[in-house]
Amino acid sequence: MILDLHSHSIVSDDGRAKVPNYCQWIRKKDLPLDGFVLTEHRKFDFDSDYSALATEFDLTILKASEVETEYGHVLVFGVTRALTEAFDFSDIGLPLAKVLEESERHGAVAVPCHPGRTRVGMCAHVESLGIPAGVSIVEVFNGGSRGTEDDAARALAETQGYRGIGGSDAHIVSHIGRCATAFPGAIGTEAELVEALQAGEFEAKSWKSKSSESSS
Amino acid sequence: MEIEELRKQFLKLNFDTAEFRVDGDDIVGFSVACGETASRYTDASDPDFQAPPTFPARFHGRRMLPSDLPLEGKIPLDAGKAVMPQKAIRAGTKLVGKSYLNEIYEKTGRSGRMIFLVSRMELFDEAEDLACIVDSRMVVRERPAE
Amino acid sequence: MTIASFDQVEFGDELPSFTPDTGLENVRRFAKAAQMMAKRFTDHEGARKEGLPGAMVPGVMSQAILTAMIHRWAPEAALVKIDTIFRAPVMVDEAHEVNGVVTDLDEETKTAEIDLTITNGAGETRVLGTATVRLP
């Protein structure tokens, strides 16, 4: 099963895509995606219910968050109401250690995203802050990466032994599915996604260039 | 800069009113440079000659932001623009632009902590009809050490 | 093919892309018309003195280029809203491509939503945005 693990809708301040249009786009363009995860900036969207859309388009639509730490941006999968009370998702200077620790305590998984990006990626902060403890997965393919940012992410993952995921970081409809993550089994809920990430059996995919790349 | 304080002090308060005259040569120069091919934008003799819809985005008031906004010497950069045209704007029209801050928010980006200031200019024509709304999203970046 | 009416538009349609003229002379022509004659737009050396890698295409020009693409595709389209995000500078004298795709259609209002991008030669998105247009 292939899921785009990083996307934004109009719920994010800089998101311009409506979720039904993501679904239409995936089907119209026959993208090799079975679903996507909405990782809204600095918040968790408790209000939206995409179950009817998921059924209509036969897609898995899950919700997560993208929060901001001193090591850059971090995707949090498996967000619960209790986790949103454990730290302030809107804080743009969260300590990564707290995000990792609280995520684990609440059965969620925290994944630094676009680590190769300046300022908002983990690589930029490793020299001054050191390698953070507790990271086991990073995003190695990001649809919004420029230049060698994904190369830096993959190098970090290789040297530190991190597993790698992929996500488009789509903010507009037509960018969905540029990168994604392949899992061996079916995933239908946030809890199943967390379980699959914890199991460590997944492979990052990128369709940004003509030739498909992959990295586990 | 504390976001909540900025919001309380500055949101929705008019900080500038300015007048602009729409010049026909400017319309043509603007349109041709941007690749417009329709004569209503590129030919002043076209009976429907008018400014292309995003033309009003070029207008700047006497100030881009409230004069007492505590920018601490930082220069706001252009992060984006939204234009919502309301009616055709013809050469020779006099527009009055009224500006206020419509949104203030923060996030981190490739350049560190960023404060976004969305300045909205409402442009009215001589009939006092709303001719266009232009949102300018400006970003103020803080150095990493701050 | 140009679009004359809403009925001719389908979800997922790609607008004919074009390579905008981002040469220095043309940007100067724009800057003069827009009264934006700052050196960061009109002079590579002046822009470098301001710490930039070279002269940049003004954001207002990028936005108007995207609008021109819409008009080339559907000459009678009326722009309801265009919202552009300047992610990275569009550098003067570098080749860029302008693209648009239809991502939503509203039959009741006869409006289409379009994703818009300006990408550089490396395939990096420098400007992205969306537009809503009303069609006859």
Side-chain angles (χ1 to χ4, degrees):
Chain A
M1 175 168 217
I2 298 178
L3 295 177
D4 181 341
L5 294 186
H6 190 170
S7 66
H8 300 274
S9 75
I10 49 174
V11 171
S12 288
D13 59 289
D14 58 353
R16 298 291 180 270
K18 287 175 276 188
V19 179
N21 299 139
Y22 273 145
C23 300
Q24 274 180 286
W25 186 263
I26 291 165
R27 290 303 177 220
K28 175 82 181 181
K29 298 293 174 181
D30 206 15
L31 300 186
L33 281 187
D34 298 295
F36 55 93
V37 184
L38 293 155
T39 50
E40 310 296 4
H41 286 295
R42 301 179 301 281
K43 63 174 74 138
F44 183 79
D45 177 16
F46 284 106
D47 301 331
S48 305
D49 178 0
Y50 300 118
S51 52
L53 262 184
T55 305
E56 183 187 343
F57 287 93
D58 191 22
L59 287 166
T60 295
I61 307 173
L62 304 178
K63 295 189 286 185
S65 298
E66 181 174 354
V67 299
E68 301 180 14
T69 76
E70 83 279 32
Y71 276 93
H73 294 188
V74 177
L75 302 174
V76 183
F77 300 102
V79 177
T80 59
R81 207 167 274 281
L83 180 58
T84 61
E85 284 158 12
F87 60 84
D88 179 2
F89 275 44
S90 68
D91 184 346
I92 63 165
L94 286 165
L96 175 62
K98 189 173 177 67
V99 172
L100 289 163
E101 185 191 312
E102 292 294 348
S103 295
E104 192 175 349
R105 199 158 71 86
H106 289 85
V109 173
V111 177
C113 52
H114 41 67
R117 198 170 292 177
T118 51
R119 303 255 189 264
V120 292
M122 194 174 132
C123 298
H125 305 283
V126 163
E127 200 181 325
S128 58
L129 302 173
I131 294 285
V135 173
S136 60
I137 308 170
V138 293
E139 185 183 56
V140 293
F141 286 136
N142 176 286
S145 288
R146 301 207 292 255
T148 57
E149 289 175 356
D150 278 354
D151 298 338
R154 277 182 292 173
L156 174 76
E158 256 177 54
T159 55
Q160 298 302 321
Y162 300 148
R163 311 287 300 173
I165 63 161
S168 66
D169 204 355
H171 287 72
I172 56 175
V173 173
S174 54
H175 282 178
I176 194 81
R178 291 186 300 179
C179 301
T181 308
F183 295 91
I187 292 167
T189 65
E190 279 86 1
E192 286 170 1
L193 173 60
V194 166
E195 213 173 289
L197 289 168
Q198 286 167 338
E201 284 181 39
F202 47 82
E203 187 184 21
K205 299 270 186 192
S206 172
W207 291 277
K208 276 192 290 181
S209 56
K210 296 276 181 231
S211 58
S212 165
E213 295 176 81
S214 67
S215 170
S216 57
Chain B
M1 283 189 274
E2 285 303 318
I3 294 299
E4 273 316 312
E5 197 50 43
L6 289 177
R7 284 182 181 140
K8 266 188 229 159
Q9 254 186 282
F10 295 100
L11 274 187
K12 313 288 181 189
L13 296 174
N14 181 288
F15 64 80
D16 187 59
T17 301
E19 282 184 14
F20 312 102
R21 174 75 59 179
V22 180
D23 180 86
D25 289 341
D26 287 349
I27 291 176
V28 173
F30 183 105
S31 302
V32 171
C34 295
E36 288 286 3
T37 52
S39 64
R40 68 179 184 274
Y41 303 127
T42 61
D43 181 357
S45 66
D46 187 294
D48 193 26
F49 182 58
Q50 60 183 278
T54 65
F55 185 81
R58 54 148 283 203
F59 291 126
H60 298 295
R62 288 169 303 168
R63 54 180 71 94
M64 298 285 290
L65 291 165
S67 57
D68 51 346
L69 193 73
L71 291 175
E72 296 150 11
K74 298 178 190 79
I75 299 166
L77 298 172
D78 200 358
K81 271 199 163 48
V83 179
M84 291 149 275
Q86 306 294 308
K87 63 185 288 193
I89 295 173
R90 311 283 177 185
T93 304
K94 191 181 81 180
L95 295 167
V96 175
K98 297 178 180 177
S99 301
Y100 59 91
L101 278 178
N102 196 39
E103 273 181 87
I104 302 174
Y105 59 96
E106 66 181 338
K107 61 190 289 190
T108 54
R110 281 180 165 95
S111 312
R113 183 188 182 225
M114 306 185 293
I115 295 166
F116 285 82
L117 306 157
V118 181
S119 173
R120 170 165 289 187
M121 182 187 276
E122 293 174 341
L123 291 140
F124 297 88
D125 64 13
E126 285 127 327
E128 294 185 14
D129 288 340
L130 182 60
C132 191
I133 300 167
V134 180
D135 281 352
S136 300
R137 203 161 32 252
M138 284 166 277
V139 60
V140 180
R141 296 187 161 100
E142 293 197 342
R143 280 177 234 107
E146 289 174 315
Chain C
M1 174 188 143
T2 56
I3 294 295
S5 70
F6 180 81
D7 302 338
Q8 292 175 277
V9 184
E10 279 189 32
F11 180 91
D13 279 356
E14 292 183 15
L15 280 63
S17 71
F18 80 103
T19 304
D21 183 352
T22 51
L24 191 59
E25 276 317 303
N26 193 49
V27 174
R28 282 181 179 156
R29 182 212 298 239
F30 173 84
K32 184 170 175 284
Q35 291 165 30
M36 300 175 82
M37 290 297 285
K39 288 197 169 165
R40 64 181 181 278
F41 303 132
T42 59
D43 177 8
H44 285 302
E45 199 44 50
R48 284 186 200 107
K49 279 184 187 157
E50 290 184 29
L52 299 162
M56 306 181 304
V57 173
V60 176
M61 184 173 177
S62 292
Q63 186 179 56
I65 286 168
L66 291 164
T67 309
M69 173 180 59
I70 295 169
H71 288 146
R72 285 168 176 226
W73 167 70
E76 298 307 316
L79 189 75
V80 176
K81 180 177 182 176
I82 182 167
D83 184 0
T84 44
I85 298 167
F86 308 134
R87 289 215 143 179
V90 172
M91 303 310 297
V92 169
D93 285 330
E94 286 183 19
H96 289 79
E97 194 175 272
V98 181
N99 287 285
V101 287
V102 176
T103 58
D104 197 15
L105 290 167
D106 186 332
E107 294 199 13
E108 209 170 294
T109 57
K110 292 196 173 180
T111 55
E113 276 186 33
I114 301 164
D115 276 4
L116 304 164
T117 53
I118 298 180
T119 49
N120 65 5
E124 298 166 351
T125 304
R126 314 300 279 185
V127 178
L128 65 81
T130 53
T132 306
V133 297
R134 188 174 299 108
L135 291 149

